[in-house]
Amino acid sequence: MDAVSGLLDGPRAQGAFLLRSILMPPWSIAIRDKAPLALLANVRGDAWIVPEEGTAVRLGPGDVAIRCGPGPYTVANHPATAPQVIIHEGQRCTTPDGQELFEMTQMGVRTWGNGLDGSTILLTGTYTTHGVVGQRLLAALPPLVVVGRESWDTPLVPLLATEIVKDDPGQEAVLDRLLDLLLIATLREWFAQPGAKAPAWYRAHSDPVVGRALQLLHNNPAKPWTVASLAAQSGVSRAALARRFTALVGEPPMTYLTEWRLALAADLLRERDATVGAVAHQVGYGSPFALSTAFKRRRGVSPRQHRLAARG
């Protein structure tokens, strides 16, 4: 598993909030839900994303945007349109003066808006939690990522638009997977664009030597790797791997491995039946004590304290 796949691994890929909005101008929705990640796909019409700080960005039909971070933003038919609806934590909807808007949800399965014949159809997927592995990637992204329809040809937006209104058995799992696919496809497309500031370790995946080493570390973090054993399987000398890995990734191979193991451990510890001993074995530590020592040194809390905090 690489770090991009890891973005969608664990609890954050389960039970995401999905909604189809059908909107007739003028409309404006202020998002204050503090979600760490949201994806917006425009099916029809025009929409503008207006961050609290920064430049407004237009979404045309087929465009997809990823909004990172808990900061507030507004989605509207025009940047100058004043918000008529506020989305709070827990997807609670109110007017700007605080009146509840229960009726906004009564337009069909996972559908709301201000008119069934609205000129704009917008799909929104909101992830309410995230893992530590995913945070390594999200931290490298700007607050707003937009991929225009003209730069890629994906069937995922129309497919999600079709599936989001179904209420068949197992539909939530289907929608989770579709949302995950659209998210990762959007990220890959954005990282491939000229000028995109992909993190060094992401770019390094394309290097024939360092990419191979990263794949080995990601796929088998529990193996007792050394620079020498990693170099042997990457087809270069120990010195050559250490030099090339550090230059491309920004840190030595064993430092990267330690960070990767502890990120995996942090996410695995969120699972209900996980024990420190089992997690230590999965990520390459010889004992619960060894993992606890490394974990506390790096994160400032013990694995047990981390697990309790993650579960609230």
Side-chain angles (χ1 to χ4, degrees):
M1 177 180 68
D2 59 43
V4 181
S5 300
L7 171 66
L8 299 173
D9 190 59
R12 214 176 50 79
Q14 304 294 328
F17 177 82
L18 288 113
L19 184 69
R20 180 180 71 154
S21 301
I22 304 178
L23 301 157
M24 180 182 298
W27 58 270
S28 180
I29 304 168
I31 312 297
R32 305 291 184 266
D33 60 4
K34 299 184 180 180
L37 182 70
L39 183 145
L40 300 92
N42 196 16
V43 178
R44 186 177 76 195
D46 290 329
W48 286 81
I49 299 178
V50 187
E52 190 168 69
E53 296 181 0
T55 305
V57 177
R58 175 185 172 273
L59 293 185
D63 295 351
V64 179
I66 299 171
R67 171 67 183 181
C68 302
Y73 63 100
T74 299
V75 185
N77 73 294
H78 188 276
T81 304
Q84 301 146 345
V85 177
I86 299 177
I87 309 296
H88 302 272
E89 292 182 79
Q91 302 305 316
R92 185 173 64 89
C93 305
T94 71
T95 62
D97 61 3
Q99 297 182 38
E100 300 287 341
L101 288 174
F102 299 110
E103 70 276 7
M104 293 292 284
T105 63
Q106 298 175 359
M107 291 179 59
V109 177
R110 302 182 191 89
T111 300
W112 80 325
N114 59 6
L116 284 173
D117 57 349
S119 58
T120 298
I121 296 180
L122 190 66
L123 308 180
T124 304
T126 302
Y127 293 84
T128 57
T129 61
H130 60 75
V132 177
V133 171
Q135 186 60 30
R136 287 169 61 87
L137 181 56
L138 297 180
L141 296 175
L144 185 63
V145 168
V146 177
V147 173
R149 177 185 57 180
E150 70 281 355
S151 68
W152 65 338
D153 182 19
T154 177
L156 293 172
V157 173
L159 182 57
L160 182 60
T162 299
E163 292 291 332
I164 199 170
V165 295
K166 293 183 180 179
D167 200 21
D168 298 335
Q171 193 65 16
E172 287 190 5
V174 170
L175 293 173
D176 278 342
R177 299 292 76 77
L178 284 176
L179 185 63
D180 289 349
L181 285 170
L182 182 56
L183 175 61
I184 206 69
T186 304
L187 285 172
R188 291 197 307 183
E189 178 63 27
W190 186 78
F191 279 137
Q193 293 180 358
K197 296 181 180 179
W201 49 262
Y202 183 94
R203 299 193 303 270
H205 277 280
S206 62
D207 182 83
V209 173
V210 178
R212 169 64 177 162
L214 286 168
Q215 184 180 41
L216 290 167
L217 295 178
H218 290 151
N219 289 343
N220 193 358
K223 186 172 179 176
W225 292 106
T226 64
V227 177
S229 64
L230 191 61
Q233 293 201 38
S234 301
V236 294
S237 69
R238 180 182 183 278
L241 176 64
R243 182 171 57 251
R244 192 162 177 169
F245 193 105
T246 302
L248 292 181
V249 178
E251 58 188 353
M254 294 300 101
T255 301
Y256 182 91
L257 176 60
T258 297
E259 290 296 317
W260 178 245
R261 284 172 167 170
L262 293 177
L264 287 175
D267 282 354
L268 289 169
L269 285 164
R270 295 169 179 257
E271 297 180 6
R272 184 166 300 278
D273 297 327
T275 66
V276 177
V279 171
H281 177 75
Q282 286 179 263
V283 301
Y285 284 88
S287 68
F289 177 77
L291 173 61
S292 296
T293 300
F295 197 95
K296 190 167 185 178
R297 182 187 307 118
R298 178 65 182 84
R299 303 195 173 275
V301 296
S302 69
R304 181 176 178 276
Q305 290 170 323
H306 167 81
R307 179 168 53 194
L308 292 173
R311 294 176 181 175

